[in-house]
Amino acid sequence: MTFPRNHFGVPQYPGHDARRLFVLLSAIDLLERPTVSAIADLTGHDRETIDAEVQRLREEFGVVLHKVGEIYHIESWGEVLKKNGVKRYLKA
């Protein structure tokens, strides 16, 4: 199944799809200054959903993420996800 892509070529997975979370995590890792606005611009995710999606990454996959001021920081990808595998979904 193919999914539409935004103008950056990022696949637009449906909200219930785990790959949507992988795109979010990859964007946080890729961006120099991963703010809600920058993440939304790159991924096409709604700004209002990003904090909830980050919480899902923490709860469902054990990712350790912090938000310092406006900037997200990945401390650990956890024990479930492999960084290189997850990053493939940003441009899948």
Side-chain angles (χ1 to χ4, degrees), residues 5 15-16 22 27 31 43-44 46 50 55 61 69 72 75 84:
R5 297 173 181 272
H16 64 278
F22 300 162
L31 291 166
T43 63
D46 293 328
I50 291 175
Q55 187 59 34
F61 298 102
Y72 286 98
E75 181 177 319
N84 290 335

Side-chain angles (χ1 to χ4, degrees), residues 11-82:
Q12 301 300 290
Y13 298 110
H16 64 278
D17 194 316
R19 292 173 292 184
R20 182 175 176 84
L21 299 177
F22 300 162
V23 165
L24 173 67
L25 185 59
S26 298
I28 292 170
D29 186 66
L30 174 74
L31 291 166
E32 184 176 320
R33 194 170 190 278
T35 63
V36 168
S37 181
I39 295 165
D41 288 346
L42 176 61
T43 63
H45 292 201
D46 293 328
R47 287 176 172 87
E48 296 79 26
T49 65
I50 291 175
D51 284 331
E53 291 171 336
V54 165
Q55 187 59 34
R56 282 186 60 202
L57 282 165
R58 291 177 180 131
E59 292 174 2
E60 295 177 24
F61 298 102
V63 175
V64 180
L65 277 167
H66 301 289
K67 188 174 182 184
V68 179
E70 295 182 9
I71 311 287
Y72 286 98
H73 298 279
I74 300 170
E75 181 177 319
S76 168
W77 289 68
E79 294 183 22
V80 175
L81 302 177
K82 293 184 180 181

